[in-house]
């Protein structure tokens, strides 16, 4: 029996090198879902690289990289004095949630409007980048409900991290920050997992490395490893032998 698995690429727009890596996984690999960071300088060039590729495009909402689309003076809880977003390490180190709900809703709304302006339609899916914050999640829910978006909602899974999407449970496989990460093994485990309530979902961050990424992201070498795995013909052949179909979010 054919199994269905979701594999997505996050961070389109993060940097030129990330864009090149993601484009390779779209045109010559396994990726058919791509999360877009709309606030970054290389967003438009990244979108141009995958134009007309037929992939699902998601809004990968950002409050921890680059500069906001909202005036930083209006959202001081999530920005630095120089007008950039606070780093993801600030969120991880915080004892209390410092994100102001009203402020973060302003920025999420601005990024949603920017996505629509760039792509010409609503995102196929909607979620957040890198940050665990109750008010960030609430903000995503508020904007998602306002525009009737397909939000990936956090859920408490008994066996693995999971999100709710269109009434289905998506069991998340995202192990790129782990020691001795092997993306081949992660995808194989996700592909062979069986769930009665939904699907396995592997979140990837494929890309190559450039100076901007090395200065701003703690996730580096695993990005290149994921490009290699996602464009490896042997991985495609293995999926075909196992009768595994990689589906888009629009097919859920």
């Amino acid at each position: 029996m054919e199994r269905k698995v979701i594999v997505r690429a996050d961070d389109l727009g993060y940097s030129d090198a990330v864009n090149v890596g993601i484009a390779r996984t779209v045109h010559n690999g396994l990726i058919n879902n791509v999360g877009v960071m709309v606030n970054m300088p290389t967003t438009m060039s990244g979108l141009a690289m995958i134009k007309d590729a037929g992939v699902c495009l998601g809004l990968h909402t950002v409050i921890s990289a680059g500069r906001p689309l909202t005036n930083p003076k209006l959202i001081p809880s999530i920005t630095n004095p120089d007008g950039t977003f606070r780093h993801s390490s600030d969120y991880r180190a915080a004892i209390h949630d410092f994100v102001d709900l009203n402020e973060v809703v302003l920025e999420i709304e601005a990024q949603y409007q920017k996505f629509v302006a760039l792509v010409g339609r609503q995102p196929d899916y909607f979620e957040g980048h890198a940050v665990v914050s109750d008010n960030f999640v609430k903000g995503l829910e508020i904007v998602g409900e306002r525009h009737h978006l397909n939000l990936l909602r956090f859920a408490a899974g008994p066996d693995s991290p999971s999100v709710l999407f269109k009434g289905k449970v998506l069991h998340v496989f995202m192990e790129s920050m782990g020691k001795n990460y092997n993306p081949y093994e992660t995808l194989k485990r996700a592909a062979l997992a069986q769930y009665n309530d939904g699907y396995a979902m592997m979140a990837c961050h494929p890309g190559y490395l450039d100076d901007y990424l090395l200065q701003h992201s703690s996730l580096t070498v695993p990005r290149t490893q994921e490009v290699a795995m996602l464009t490896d013909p042997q991985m495609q052949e293995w999926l075909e032998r196992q009768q595994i179909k990689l589906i888009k979010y629009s097919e859920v």
Side-chain angles (χ1 to χ4, degrees):
M1 181 180 294
E2 184 180 67
R3 296 186 180 92
K4 296 179 179 180
V5 178
I6 295 171
V7 180
R8 80 169 194 239
D10 291 346
D11 296 354
L12 186 78
Y14 205 141
S15 75
D16 288 321
V18 169
N19 290 344
V20 171
I22 290 177
R24 283 201 63 191
T25 67
V26 168
H27 295 295
N28 303 301
L30 304 176
I31 290 298
N32 54 15
N33 302 283
V34 176
V36 184
M37 304 168 78
V38 298
N39 68 310
M40 305 298 281
T42 61
T43 299
M44 291 184 66
S45 60
L47 284 169
M49 290 180 186
I50 60 171
K51 184 180 179 181
D52 301 323
V55 298
C56 272
L57 293 177
L59 175 52
H60 195 51
T61 313
V62 183
I63 61 168
S64 61
R67 304 183 71 88
L69 300 180
T70 307
N71 184 335
K73 294 180 180 179
L74 299 177
I75 51 173
S77 71
I78 55 175
T79 54
N80 296 309
D82 65 356
T84 60
F85 277 127
R86 295 181 66 163
H87 194 268
S88 57
S89 59
D90 292 341
Y91 296 88
R92 290 194 295 269
I95 298 174
H96 304 290
D97 189 0
F98 57 76
V99 176
D100 181 276
L101 179 58
N102 292 327
E103 292 177 17
V104 81
V105 166
L106 281 177
E107 179 60 21
I108 296 169
E109 176 70 25
Q111 292 190 28
Y112 165 72
Q113 296 297 339
K114 180 73 173 209
F115 182 99
V116 174
L118 289 173
V119 179
R121 59 176 175 81
Q122 288 192 329
D124 296 301
Y125 62 98
F126 174 58
E127 42 85 42
H129 165 78
V131 171
V132 177
S133 154
D134 288 342
N135 280 341
F136 184 34
V137 173
K138 290 176 184 176
L140 291 169
E141 291 173 346
I142 288 169
V143 176
E145 290 171 5
R146 179 185 295 166
H147 298 289
H148 309 289
L149 304 179
N150 293 317
L151 175 65
L152 291 166
R153 299 177 182 271
F154 292 101
D159 302 315
S160 64
S162 61
V163 294
L164 296 176
F165 185 73
K166 297 182 180 179
K168 296 288 186 180
V169 178
L170 306 184
H171 299 266
V172 181
F173 289 75
M174 188 172 68
E175 302 171 348
S176 53
M177 297 297 287
K179 187 178 180 180
N180 300 319
Y181 174 52
N182 184 329
Y184 287 88
E185 294 303 318
T186 300
L187 179 52
K188 287 181 178 180
R189 282 190 289 105
L192 295 176
Q194 298 187 54
Y195 301 105
N196 295 324
D197 55 356
Y199 307 100
M201 180 189 84
M202 182 177 177
C204 299
H205 301 79
Y208 295 118
L209 308 182
D210 54 20
D211 187 62
Y212 182 87
L213 187 78
L214 291 172
Q215 289 192 41
H216 292 87
S217 176
S218 57
L219 184 60
T220 56
V221 172
R223 294 179 187 269
T224 67
Q225 295 172 321
E226 288 184 340
V227 174
M229 181 274 289
L230 292 165
T231 59
D232 188 340
Q234 293 186 13
M235 192 73 242
Q236 177 66 58
E237 292 167 2
W238 182 88
L239 292 168
E240 292 173 357
R241 289 197 304 272
Q242 299 296 324
Q243 294 184 287
I244 293 164
K245 180 183 179 182
L246 301 184
I247 64 171
K248 300 177 183 179
Y249 281 101
S250 59
E251 298 175 86
V252 173

